[in-house]
Amino acid sequence: MRKIFLLLFGISAFLMNAQQKVNEALKKELDEIMKVDQGYRMLFDSEITLEKREQLLTTLNIDKEEFKKKGWQMVAEHDSLNVQKIENIIAQYGYPGKTLVGEPTNQAAWYVIQHSTKIRKYLPLIKKAGKQKEIPFTWVAMMEDRYLMQEDKEQIYGTQGKGEMTKDKNGKQVFVNFVWPVKDLKNVNKRRKEAGFDSTIEENAKRMYGSDFKYEPYTLKQALELRNKNK
């Protein structure tokens, strides 16, 4: 009887390991998707060196003249293609988390959704993946903040920023970066810590906009008025 139990236990353990084994083909596909998503955006990083940009263009197989001509349009085109791929993957597997594709490949689908217009559709799936620890909760928080910003509502964790054209006191047009308004601002850093962030909202603002950036809270009314000036 003991031998039968051990045999059954061994078979069960083997099946569990098989189920937890990384899907290498899917991992490879998602790694390529993430390389494109992140690589194209890095091309527009103001701090990137000319040498690094040249390397990226080569790695991503991008023609220099096409890049000069299209610019950010190339990012939008590849974002659209990536969304289609991710939606097909989700339809087949659900969210491709760390159990299925390992880390950091479990970031790929999140990045594509975060950069898309599909957040409303997939936020419940992202929350589920966070609850099951397939992705860190900080990613859930960032996507929820972005969704709230898109809905013209106050964000919760202070992870999202915005840039708008406005006019200074002399009537000259200037571009203003700001952190999107936050609900219950006095407790935001406590919420950030509980969510797993290792920085305050002030520190995160400097990470987004540079070390010289000074965080100044905006009310929702101020943010909406600033945006509506440019319509």
Side-chain angles (χ1 to χ4, degrees), residues 13 68 103 111 128 134 140 149-150 162 180 193:
K68 290 179 182 178
E103 297 177 296
Y111 272 119
K128 181 181 177 182
E134 292 294 333
V140 180
M149 182 175 70
Q150 290 175 349
K162 196 81 170 172
W180 188 257
K193 186 175 181 180

Side-chain angles (χ1 to χ4, degrees), residues 46-154:
S46 60
E47 296 184 4
I48 193 174
T49 64
L50 180 61
E51 182 182 3
K52 180 64 175 177
R53 184 174 282 110
E54 294 282 343
Q55 291 175 353
L56 268 174
L57 289 170
T58 301
T59 300
L60 297 170
N61 196 28
I62 300 173
D63 180 77
K64 291 181 184 179
E65 293 305 315
E66 183 182 13
F67 175 67
K68 290 179 182 178
K69 182 180 178 181
K70 286 189 172 183
W72 190 260
Q73 182 186 341
M74 297 183 74
V75 179
E77 290 172 355
H78 282 84
D79 279 358
S80 180
L81 293 172
N82 282 342
V83 167
Q84 293 175 33
K85 293 175 183 177
I86 291 300
E87 289 201 291
N88 289 336
I89 289 170
I90 287 174
Q92 183 174 356
Y93 299 98
Y95 186 87
K98 69 177 182 179
T99 301
L100 186 63
V101 295
E103 297 177 296
T105 308
N106 60 334
Q107 299 178 43
W110 181 89
Y111 272 119
V112 172
I113 295 169
Q114 183 79 340
H115 295 149
S116 75
T117 58
K118 304 277 186 173
I119 292 180
R120 176 195 286 268
K121 179 178 179 180
Y122 290 109
L123 184 56
L125 182 69
I126 295 297
K127 287 183 176 181
K128 181 181 177 182
K131 188 175 182 180
Q132 295 174 338
K133 301 191 183 302
E134 292 294 333
I135 58 174
F137 183 76
T138 50
W139 300 357
V140 180
M142 285 187 282
M143 188 170 288
E144 185 166 17
D145 271 358
R146 181 161 293 194
Y147 169 71
L148 290 168
M149 182 175 70
Q150 290 175 349
E151 294 290 306
D152 291 340
K153 296 177 181 179
E154 294 171 312

Side-chain angles (χ1 to χ4, degrees), residues 165-186:
M165 288 296 298
T166 187
K167 293 181 180 179
D168 63 16
K169 61 183 180 181
N170 298 316
K172 182 181 177 181
Q173 277 205 325
V174 292
F175 190 78
V176 176
N177 286 314
F178 62 97
V179 176
W180 188 257
V182 177
K183 185 178 182 179
D184 185 21
L185 183 60
K186 68 178 182 179

Side-chain angles (χ1 to χ4, degrees), residues 155-215:
Q155 59 179 324
I156 300 170
Y157 303 97
T159 65
Q160 303 299 301
K162 196 81 170 172
E164 297 287 357
M165 288 296 298
T166 187
K167 293 181 180 179
D168 63 16
K169 61 183 180 181
N170 298 316
K172 182 181 177 181
Q173 277 205 325
V174 292
F175 190 78
V176 176
N177 286 314
F178 62 97
V179 176
W180 188 257
V182 177
K183 185 178 182 179
D184 185 21
L185 183 60
K186 68 178 182 179
N187 291 310
V188 66
N189 286 329
K190 180 182 176 182
R191 290 196 301 276
R192 286 179 63 85
K193 186 175 181 180
E194 290 172 348
F197 292 104
D198 59 4
S199 62
T200 64
I201 190 172
E202 295 83 2
E203 291 166 344
N204 188 56
K206 290 182 181 295
R207 180 190 63 79
M208 288 193 290
Y209 297 126
S211 58
D212 294 332
F213 182 82
K214 182 181 178 182
Y215 170 62

